Amino acid sequence: MAETIESPLITVPFESLRRAAKEKKTSLDEVSSVVKLLDVSTAAAMTAAEQLEILSRMALRLQTLKRKLAESSQEERADAIRCQARLQHLQKLGTPAKDGVIDWNRKRLDRLIVDHLLHSGYYKSAEALSTQGHIEDLVDLHIFAGAQKIVADLRQHDCTVALVWCEEQKGRLKKGRNKLEFKLRMQEFVELVRQGRMMQAIKYARGYLSPWASVYLQELQQAMAILAFKADTQCSPYKHLFQEEQWESLVQLFHQELYRLNNITPQSVLAIHLQACQR
């Protein structure tokens, strides 16, 4: 049981390191494909202007790949440092001396509390405690740092940053059918209807909701039906779509995807420990 509870300490940075290495390899393969195209770009059948245009596009593409490779390398280094720090932390734990049980438990307890604070949305408090306890590499502050802006914006009824995040994570989210992006798009549609901007809502639905019809047809049909209602409707099948709780549901759904993509437990490790003690 203890090994299962503590596994995220190692699996989170290890999986992130593995993912960064995979993304780096993909970028390197793309660089190779661009270089191979150089022979085509210098074909005799092309004019000098055509060759220059193709080479300019290739240069721009290579610059983008260079940036991606630099970001991947930076992520790899950071994840490698975290893996090493956490393995060393586990190796040093050992068995506490009779008069050193409190000190032996302090760092572990600080780590559990930081993890619980992060799960509870108290990022600044978690950051302060991790700095005070010198455990920055033993906790996952970097994962929750970017999430703060997304959660804050969703609670201010703004899906923009969350949709950007979905686009950045598109390949990984597809494996889970990416319901988050659909729900964000549907919420933006609902807000257009709430504001009485019906033509914009219809145009938005055609552009951003119709591609989801094969996956979420029933929910899409229900959403489209609200075009016939106002925001203060009391009709039960559609009333809930206009309620404030929909935004908090988006926050919860975002957290679920964040945890899933980063191999983080939905509950804090401290909460899991407490539940285990009650059994």
Side-chain angles (χ1 to χ4, degrees), residues 37 47-48 50-51 54 87 94 96 113 118 126 135 150 167 191 213 217 264 274-275 278:
L37 288 173
T47 64
E50 289 173 337
Q51 291 178 356
I54 291 175
L87 287 171
I113 293 174
L118 289 172
I135 57 171
I150 295 174
E167 182 62 28
E191 293 307 310
L217 180 59
I264 296 174
L274 293 175
Q275 290 176 5
Q278 293 173 357

Side-chain angles (χ1 to χ4, degrees), residues 1-11 263 265 269 272-273:
M1 180 67 177
E3 292 178 357
T4 302
I5 292 174
E6 294 291 352
S7 64
L9 180 66
I10 298 300
T11 57
N263 298 282
T265 56
V269 178
I272 296 174
H273 272 290

Side-chain angles (χ1 to χ4, degrees), residues 189 192 198-209:
F189 169 78
L192 288 172
M198 299 305 180
M199 293 307 298
Q200 292 94 325
I202 293 171
K203 184 178 179 180
Y204 186 92
R206 286 174 177 168
Y208 295 108
L209 291 180

Side-chain angles (χ1 to χ4, degrees), residues 32-48:
S32 298
S33 67
V34 172
V35 172
K36 289 178 181 178
L37 288 173
L38 286 174
D39 292 336
V40 179
S41 67
T42 55
M46 293 185 182
T47 64

Side-chain angles (χ1 to χ4, degrees), residues 240-264:
H240 75 280
L241 293 175
F242 291 106
Q243 293 178 339
E244 181 72 19
E245 288 77 6
Q246 293 298 314
W247 288 100
E248 194 58 36
S249 295
L250 286 175
V251 171
Q252 294 175 8
L253 184 56
F254 165 69
H255 277 140
Q256 289 175 16
E257 292 296 337
L258 180 73
Y259 299 154
R260 182 179 67 83
L261 294 182
N262 291 282
N263 298 282
I264 296 174

Side-chain angles (χ1 to χ4, degrees), residues 58-92:
M58 285 185 177
L60 182 61
R61 189 175 171 189
L62 287 171
Q63 287 175 355
T64 302
L65 290 170
K66 180 182 178 181
R67 176 182 56 79
K68 287 184 177 180
L69 285 169
E71 291 174 354
S72 294
S73 296
Q74 186 176 359
E75 290 176 8
E76 277 186 315
R77 285 192 295 270
D79 288 326
I81 290 172
R82 293 187 192 100
C83 284
Q84 183 180 26
R86 297 180 187 198
L87 287 171
Q88 290 176 346
H89 167 68
L90 292 175
Q91 288 175 342
K92 290 179 181 178

